[in-house]
């Protein structure tokens, strides 16, 4: 049950009756208007509270979405960094394998690279620098 301030309602009814006799010729009319006004004020207050609660819920959802986006961003960046490290490690392993193959062949790594380039049709790998 809603609580109304009866004192305020009666004060308003007396003011309406006293100051607006043309609009409210009887005290009954003024009291009805005062009650209507009090009920409307309670309804407006409840609506404002409901709207504020909805705004808070929406704000919390937006905050949650922003935090989730930050988490996804961190995970994405970590995954990119892991892929970069993996590529670097694979390149290092490939170079080590090539160095091992060059040692087994009894030549330097540079000579091994030259032979590979020539066998693939790239020439002698002497860059002229344009």
């Amino acid at each position: 049950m809603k609580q109304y301030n009866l004192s305020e309602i009666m004060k308003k009814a007396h003011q309406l009756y006293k100051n607006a006799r043309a609009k409210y010729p009887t005290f009954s009319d003024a009291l009805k208007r005062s009650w209507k006004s009090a009920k409307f004020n309670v309804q407006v207050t409840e609506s404002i509270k409901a709207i504020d609660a909805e705004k808070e819920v929406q704000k919390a959802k937006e905050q949650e979405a922003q935090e989730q986006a930050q988490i996804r961003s961190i995970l994405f960046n970590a995954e990119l960094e892991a892929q970069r490290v993996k590529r670097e490690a694979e390149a290092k392993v490939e170079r080590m394998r090539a160095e091992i193959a060059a040692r087994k062949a009894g030549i330097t790594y540079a000579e091994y690279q030259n032979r590979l380039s020539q066998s693939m049709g790239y020439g002698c790998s002497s860059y002229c620098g344009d």
Side-chain angles (χ1 to χ4, degrees):
M1 183 174 168
K2 297 176 186 150
Q3 295 290 326
Y4 295 100
N5 188 343
L6 300 180
S7 175
E8 289 296 319
I9 292 171
M10 290 302 285
K11 283 180 187 176
K12 187 165 183 164
H14 279 287
Q15 282 179 338
L16 289 173
Y17 181 67
K18 181 179 173 185
N19 297 328
R21 284 263 176 128
K23 196 168 185 181
Y24 307 106
T26 65
F27 185 74
S28 173
D29 292 335
L31 188 58
K32 286 177 186 176
R33 179 64 182 160
S34 182
W35 267 105
K36 235 180 181 180
S37 176
K39 289 178 182 177
F40 178 75
N41 286 341
V42 167
Q43 187 180 22
V44 167
T45 303
E46 288 175 355
S47 296
I48 289 172
K49 286 180 184 178
I51 290 170
D52 287 344
E54 287 178 19
K55 284 181 181 178
E56 287 296 321
V57 167
Q58 184 65 27
K59 189 175 180 181
K61 284 182 181 178
E62 289 174 0
Q63 180 70 23
E64 178 69 22
Q66 187 178 25
E67 289 170 353
Q68 291 297 324
Q70 289 174 344
I71 290 170
R72 284 192 303 274
S73 175
I74 290 169
L75 290 174
F76 179 73
N77 288 337
E79 187 176 329
L80 286 177
E81 182 66 17
Q83 289 173 357
R84 184 191 62 78
V85 168
K86 184 179 179 183
R87 283 192 308 273
E88 286 178 0
E90 288 172 349
K92 196 176 218 180
V93 165
E94 187 62 35
R95 181 177 169 98
M96 289 174 72
R97 285 183 181 150
E99 288 175 351
I100 290 169
R103 267 191 304 227
K104 283 183 181 177
I107 56 176
T108 65
Y109 178 71
E111 180 62 28
Y112 179 77
Q113 289 295 89
N114 282 339
R115 288 183 185 177
L116 278 178
S117 294
Q118 287 176 353
S119 67
M120 296 177 96
Y122 293 123
C124 64
S125 74
S126 297
Y127 181 69
C128 65
D130 289 337

